[in-house]
């Protein structure tokens, strides 16, 4: 019997769902993916079997027509797999699962961190069709809050909570010279449905960042998009499964990626985000305004980016200060991996069981 179908569309989804996937016998689940950055590599390194339903759309030039065509093609492929395996529930962060769950009368659990109002195209599909909308308690499910299952945590604490992640110096000492400060700079592809019209770190800004950071230590670039030749010497050469160890030992993270900003923040690494979603996403606002683990700057104010960077660089023993801030955050957040395993152990119709994910003490 197939208890669950998981659908992964981003490397962060691998980390998010990994522990839940591994909690099931392999013959009780189906894992489907669409290619994105290092997602396939992570799955292969972990030994998790998967079906790739879209190996072409990642990295292709995005426009609304292409996004709709890719969505429709994935829907058809997923439908065939669902009809073959007959899973008891559909689990993932993609709107396709809500639609197919509604059509095939299978409960769907859509997990997300971006407030629905800010990803309206996604929300208008997932909101009406999903059975449950699972998100941090600080996030909004917009018109569909009656479907919301909120929990006191973040996606990133499914895999970076101390219960699951122990930093290992040996996994980064061949990459980092740990006798100096190491800075990680991240360039995102910004090619998802919610990224249309959004911008991040340009080449000009990257040059300025590298020049400043190089005066304080060593700069390491990680990028979803193609790098121009001048930046290649800075590209970090690291196994996909080791990036979180690098983030932990980095002095600072600067990037235009939501996910890696949040990952750095929950690891206690000072993080600066530069993109057009700043001020719009509640979970990152929570990390910034409640726990002071990250700072966000919108792209229409690049001067502020360098002001924030200068302020961070001037803080003595910044990693020690951020470690204390992280400890406070961890006291007030649950281990989301435990939360998710509980969620998937409940009958999809047992709302009292499902609602227990709201409890902090149960899932520390």
């Amino acid at each position: 019997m197939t208890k669950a179908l998981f659908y992964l569309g981003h490397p962060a989804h691998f980390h998010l769902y990994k522990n839940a996937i591994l909690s099931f016998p392999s013959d009780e689940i189906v894992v489907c993916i669409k290619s994105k950055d290092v997602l396939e590599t992570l799955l292969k390194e972990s030994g998790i079997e998967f079906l790739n339903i879209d190996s072409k759309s990642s990295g292709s030039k995005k426009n609304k027509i292409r996004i709709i065509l890719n969505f429709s093609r994935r829907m058809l492929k997923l439908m065939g797999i669902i009809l073959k395996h007959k899973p008891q529930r559909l689990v993932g962060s993609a709107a396709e699962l809500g639609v197919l769950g509604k059509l095939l009368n299978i409960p769907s659990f859509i997990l997300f961190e971006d407030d629905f109002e800010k990803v309206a195209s996604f929300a208008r599909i997932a909101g009406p069709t999903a059975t449950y909308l699972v998100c941090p308690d600080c996030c909004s499910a917009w018109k569909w809050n009656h479907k919301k299952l909120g929990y006191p945590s973040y996606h990133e604490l499914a895999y970076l909570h101390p219960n699951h992640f122990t930093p290992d110096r040996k996994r980064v000492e061949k990459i980092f010279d740990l006798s100096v400060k190491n800075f990680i700079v991240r360039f995102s592809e910004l090619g998802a449905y919610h990224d249309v019209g959004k911008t991040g770190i340009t080449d000009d800004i990257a040059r300025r960042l590298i020049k400043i950071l190089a005066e304080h230590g060593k700069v390491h670039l990680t990028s979803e998009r193609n790098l121009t030749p001048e930046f290649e010497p800075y590209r970090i050469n690291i196994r996909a499964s080791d990036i979180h160890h690098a983030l932990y030992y980095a002095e600072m993270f600067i990037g235009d990626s939501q996910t890696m900003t949040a990952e750095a923040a929950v690891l206690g690494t000072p993080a600066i985000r530069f993109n057009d979603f700043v001020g719009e996403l509640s979970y990152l606002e929570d990390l910034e305004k409640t726990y002071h683990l990250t700072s966000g700057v919108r792209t229409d104010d690049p001067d502020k980016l360098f002001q924030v960077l200068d302020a961070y660089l001037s803080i003595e023993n910044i990693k020690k200060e951020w470690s204390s801030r992280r400890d406070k955050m961890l006291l007030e957040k649950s281990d989301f991996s435990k939360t998710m395993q509980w969620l998937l152990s409940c009958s999809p119709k047992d709302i009292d069981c499902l609602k227990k994910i709201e409890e902090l003490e149960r899932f520390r």
Side-chain angles (χ1 to χ4, degrees):
M1 178 184 294
T2 303
K3 292 186 177 179
L5 179 144
F6 292 86
Y7 177 40
L8 286 57
H10 190 282
H13 297 163
F14 163 80
H15 300 295
L16 172 63
Y17 297 114
K18 179 182 70 173
N19 291 328
I21 289 170
L22 293 175
S23 70
F24 286 94
S26 60
D27 61 347
E28 292 184 359
I29 60 165
V30 177
V31 178
C32 297
I33 74 163
K34 67 172 181 178
S35 292
K36 171 71 172 177
D37 197 21
V38 296
L39 177 57
E40 288 181 85
T41 302
L42 289 166
L43 285 159
K44 289 174 182 176
E45 288 179 359
S46 71
I48 295 174
E49 295 184 3
F50 61 92
L51 302 171
N52 191 339
I53 65 164
D54 186 353
S55 61
K56 297 179 180 179
S57 67
S58 180
S60 61
K61 193 171 182 179
K62 300 295 192 298
N63 57 55
K64 289 185 178 180
I65 294 175
R66 185 177 292 276
I67 288 170
I68 292 169
L69 290 173
N70 289 339
F71 181 89
S72 302
R73 187 176 68 250
R74 290 193 296 268
M75 283 266 293
L76 289 173
K77 289 186 177 180
L78 277 170
M79 179 178 283
I81 294 168
I82 291 169
L83 290 172
K84 177 181 178 180
H85 292 276
K86 299 180 174 57
Q88 295 178 333
R89 71 199 78 198
L90 308 177
V91 184
S93 302
E96 294 96 318
L97 296 182
V99 176
L100 290 170
K102 191 83 167 177
L103 286 172
L104 302 173
N105 197 30
I106 300 172
S108 60
F109 294 78
I110 305 298
L111 282 70
F112 65 96
E113 280 190 311
D114 295 350
D115 301 86
F116 260 23
E117 295 93 327
K118 303 303 178 182
V119 287
S121 297
F122 170 77
R124 290 191 178 103
I125 300 171
T129 58
T131 311
Y132 299 109
L133 301 170
V134 186
C135 63
D137 52 13
C138 62
C139 293
S140 167
W142 198 12
K143 304 172 185 178
W144 302 279
N145 269 313
H146 60 285
K147 296 185 178 185
K148 174 179 170 178
L149 296 174
Y151 55 86
S153 193
Y154 311 116
H155 280 189
E156 292 73 19
L157 289 178
Y159 51 97
L160 296 177
H161 191 282
N163 290 343
H164 308 290
F165 177 79
T166 302
D168 186 349
R169 291 175 66 93
K170 292 181 179 178
R171 296 176 74 166
V172 298
E173 58 189 12
K174 291 182 179 179
I175 305 143
F176 284 178
D177 176 357
L178 294 172
S179 67
V180 301
K181 295 176 180 178
N182 293 272
F183 301 93
I184 294 179
V185 179
R186 170 70 167 178
F187 304 153
S188 293
E189 182 186 13
L190 294 174
Y193 57 86
H194 52 257
D195 294 327
V196 173
K198 303 294 185 181
T199 59
I201 296 175
T202 64
D203 284 357
D204 285 342
I205 289 173
R207 289 185 194 99
R208 290 181 65 187
L209 286 172
I210 290 170
K211 182 178 179 180
I212 293 169
L213 294 172
E215 295 175 358
H216 296 268
K218 189 171 181 181
V219 181
H220 306 267
L221 297 186
T222 170
S223 179
E224 286 183 334
R225 63 182 188 251
N226 293 329
L227 291 178
T228 55
E230 68 181 295
F231 297 131
E232 281 296 339
Y234 299 98
R235 186 190 288 274
I236 191 169
N237 182 21
I238 189 171
R239 282 167 53 95
S241 54
D242 289 342
I243 191 63
H244 296 127
H245 299 273
L247 271 179
Y248 179 87
Y249 286 106
E251 179 76 5
M252 195 181 301
F253 169 86
I254 304 99
D256 50 21
S257 162
Q258 258 87 252
T259 300
M260 286 193 76
T261 299
E263 289 173 338
V266 302
L267 287 170
T269 295
I272 302 173
R273 178 171 53 112
F274 184 70
N275 68 21
D276 290 330
F277 285 103
V278 170
E280 298 184 0
L281 303 178
S282 295
Y283 79 104
L284 284 161
E285 289 293 288
D286 197 43
L287 283 165
E288 178 173 355
K289 302 293 173 56
T290 305
Y291 300 107
H292 310 289
L293 287 164
T294 179
S295 295
V297 181
R298 295 183 68 89
T299 61
D300 60 1
D301 195 359
D303 288 341
K304 184 178 178 182
L305 170 65
F306 293 98
Q307 291 169 7
V308 173
L309 178 59
D310 286 343
Y312 272 40
L313 290 169
S314 69
I315 298 174
E316 200 168 333
N317 296 319
I318 190 171
K319 289 282 286 189
K320 183 177 180 181
E321 170 62 28
W322 256 245
S323 179
S324 298
R325 297 179 186 187
R326 178 196 186 218
D327 290 343
K328 179 181 185 298
M329 178 271 296
L330 289 171
L331 285 174
E332 299 174 2
K333 299 298 179 183
S334 59
D335 172 353
F336 185 49
S337 181
K338 290 182 179 179
T339 304
M340 188 161 25
Q341 289 179 54
W342 173 275
L343 186 75
L344 297 177
S345 73
C346 298
S347 165
K349 296 182 180 180
D350 188 347
I351 191 65
D352 289 334
C353 181
L354 296 171
K355 283 283 188 181
K356 291 188 186 298
I357 70 169
E358 299 171 355
E359 301 173 12
L360 174 61
E361 293 301 325
R362 183 184 291 268
F363 303 110
R364 282 198 180 278

